[in-house]
Amino acid sequence: MTVVRSREVHLVRRPEGTPVHDDIALVTVDVEAGAGQVLVRNTAMSVEPYMRGRMSVDKGSYVEPYELNAPMDGFVTGVVEWSDAPDVPVGSVVVHEYGWREYVALAPSDVDVVDTDGLKATDYLGVLGQTGLTAWVGMNVVGRFKEGDTVFVSSAAGGVGAVAGQLAKAKGCVVIGSCGSADKVKSVVDDFGFDAAFDYHDGTVRVLLREALEKVDRPGLDLYYDNVGAEHLEAAIREMNDNGAIALCGAISVYNATEVVPGPRNLLLMIWRRLRMEGFIVTDHEDKRPQFLEEMTDLVRRGVVTSPETYVGHGIEEAFDGFLALLDGGAVIGKALVSLGTDA
Ligand SMILES: NC(=O)c1ccc[n+]([C@@H]2O[C@H](COP(=O)([O-])OP(=O)(O)OC[C@H]3O[C@@H](n4cnc5c(N)ncnc54)[C@H](OP(=O)(O)O)[C@@H]3O)[C@@H](O)[C@H]2O)c1
């Protein structure tokens, strides 16, 4: 048995609108690992928009809300510091779902030991983790993308968007992205290889998207990968080609809304143009993970898909501010992470 002192972030109040510091508490606890368990020191934690949903009680949501006065959770990398499990020895690099804390005692079945040969452990939070799987499922299973398609990806500099767009480029699609700053536009084009991108603050999305289509010399969209919802979705519907598809992945523009947000006003076009719009939840597609991992690991190792990441916080005391920074956008490019140790 071993005991270690650890800090963890508890939700103590359900946020109204944008979360604030009084909604959480940093709590010090003793973590005890015993027979058959491993003690993991967490190294880098993923912060993700869905966590905002889990802070509230929403009967329509697909995930359980976080409990009050208990540590929040989410994907995290770690190193095994003590082990009573022969299959997961001390020193193993692991990924598991008990983030928002410095140390955790777990059963070996709760951790995945990851292969870091030529890869970063944090790749398993981003491009090779739930983020990458979300992009892969949205493009392959829901969007059913094909070589030559014209694809539009919103939040294109984000964790999911950057991977979705790179997958489309790898497939031979023409790809347009939208994002929230000039720096992100540059990164989306120069680093992720999109054919065109725009900052949605520079005008109405409707006009900016039309201009981007003219720039890439394509009449309309075959696939829209929606991370944002609202104005972006309405603009994309307007530009869809006949028989096009819309993969509804997220709606970050409305996550902090305190009132019901109106839907797209042009749904009639869905009929006239024989469009398909399908929402999906990545956890329904676990069966695809082996195929995804094989394909994506190869793409990453060959440098076809890069795995962008931004550290939005250093240390557990900055985890919540990092989460707020992610929701806000700002300078976050790719997967948003909080380092929990110097070896993240
Ligand atoms: N369906 C699923 O199973 C599933 C799984 C994982 C994630 N998701 C969803 O996928 C989307 C992307 O997830 P992610 O983890 O990669 O996060 P992300 O795209 O990195 O999200 C953060 C980014 O959202 C953008 N954003 C914030 N407010 C916005 C607004 N009002 N309008 C437009 N963009 C805004 C910001 O970038 P800018 O600076 O560009 O505005 C910010 O950097 C999210 O909506 C998430 O909820 C869905």
Side-chain angles (χ1 to χ4, degrees), residues 13-65:
R13 188 177 74 178
R14 305 224 175 263
E16 289 287 329
T18 303
V20 295
H21 273 261
D22 284 346
D23 298 328
I24 58 114
L26 189 60
V27 176
T28 301
V29 294
D30 284 335
V31 175
E32 183 181 306
Q37 288 189 306
V38 293
L39 178 74
V40 181
R41 179 172 55 78
N42 289 336
T43 49
M45 182 186 118
S46 168
V47 282
E48 303 183 30
Y50 84 94
M51 292 169 171
R52 172 63 189 89
R54 295 190 66 193
M55 291 176 184
S56 301
V57 178
D58 180 351
K59 291 200 185 78
S61 178
Y62 65 99
V63 269
E64 286 296 304

Side-chain angles (χ1 to χ4, degrees), residues 15-339:
E16 289 287 329
T18 303
V20 295
H21 273 261
D22 284 346
D23 298 328
I24 58 114
L26 189 60
V27 176
T28 301
V29 294
D30 284 335
V31 175
E32 183 181 306
Q37 288 189 306
V38 293
L39 178 74
V40 181
R41 179 172 55 78
N42 289 336
T43 49
M45 182 186 118
S46 168
V47 282
E48 303 183 30
Y50 84 94
M51 292 169 171
R52 172 63 189 89
R54 295 190 66 193
M55 291 176 184
S56 301
V57 178
D58 180 351
K59 291 200 185 78
S61 178
Y62 65 99
V63 269
E64 286 296 304
Y66 287 129
E67 275 180 43
L68 287 181
N69 303 308
M72 295 190 284
D73 55 57
F75 285 100
V76 63
T77 56
V79 177
V80 173
E81 287 212 335
W82 179 92
S83 174
D84 189 42
D87 292 347
V88 188
V90 169
S92 301
V93 177
V94 295
V95 173
H96 61 84
E97 295 191 41
Y98 296 85
W100 291 100
R101 62 201 94 184
E102 292 176 307
Y103 282 89
V104 62
L106 294 171
S109 56
D110 283 335
V111 302
D112 286 327
V113 178
V114 294
D115 172 9
T116 50
D117 182 19
L119 300 163
K120 302 188 296 298
T122 50
D123 288 341
Y124 292 91
L125 301 178
V127 68
L128 299 177
Q130 208 76 342
T131 295
L133 181 61
T134 303
W136 190 93
V137 165
M139 297 305 289
N140 283 283
V141 182
V142 183
R144 299 175 209 159
F145 69 153
K146 306 179 301 299
E147 184 180 349
D149 277 354
T150 307
V151 177
F152 174 40
V153 181
S154 54
S155 199
V160 172
V163 179
Q166 290 183 86
L167 284 175
K169 282 308 301 173
K171 187 88 157 186
C173 302
V174 171
V175 189
I176 295 168
S178 75
C179 48
S181 71
D183 281 350
K184 287 187 177 184
V185 166
K186 186 168 172 6
S187 198
V188 162
V189 173
D190 294 351
D191 302 334
F192 310 143
F194 285 50
D195 298 281
F198 60 84
D199 176 352
Y200 61 85
H201 298 107
D202 285 347
T204 61
V205 180
R206 186 170 63 83
V207 171
L208 295 165
L209 179 57
R210 175 98 299 271
E211 285 172 359
L213 278 164
E214 280 162 18
K215 193 169 171 193
V216 298
D217 199 18
R218 290 288 176 122
L221 302 168
D222 300 300
L223 172 60
Y224 171 44
Y225 191 110
D226 188 20
N227 287 313
V228 166
E231 188 194 354
H232 272 81
L233 179 55
E234 185 172 295
I237 290 172
R238 186 171 184 268
E239 297 296 349
M240 295 303 295
N241 292 331
D242 285 356
N243 301 305
I246 298 174
L248 293 180
C249 174
I252 196 164
S253 70
V254 304
Y255 290 166
N256 281 331
T258 48
E259 289 176 14
V260 174
V261 179
R265 294 165 296 182
N266 54 358
L267 287 177
L268 184 59
L269 292 178
M270 301 279 305
I271 304 166
W272 291 355
R273 300 198 189 144
R274 297 93 167 154
L275 304 180
R276 183 171 59 83
M277 177 152 68
E278 185 177 335
F280 70 99
I281 296 297
V282 64
T283 47
D284 294 341
H285 298 274
E286 260 319 302
D287 60 315
K288 295 288 189 303
R289 194 177 287 270
Q291 186 188 349
F292 150 74
L293 262 180
E294 190 182 329
E295 284 181 25
M296 198 63 111
T297 304
D298 176 60
L299 288 169
V300 173
R301 283 210 165 106
R302 287 194 290 121
V304 176
V305 171
T306 62
S307 52
E309 54 189 33
T310 299
Y311 281 91
V312 291
H314 298 276
I316 191 77
E317 59 277 18
E318 291 187 7
F320 185 69
D321 280 334
F323 169 70
L324 295 181
L326 163 78
L327 289 187
D328 189 42
V332 183
I333 291 182
K335 180 79 210 134
L337 300 170
V338 173
S339 66

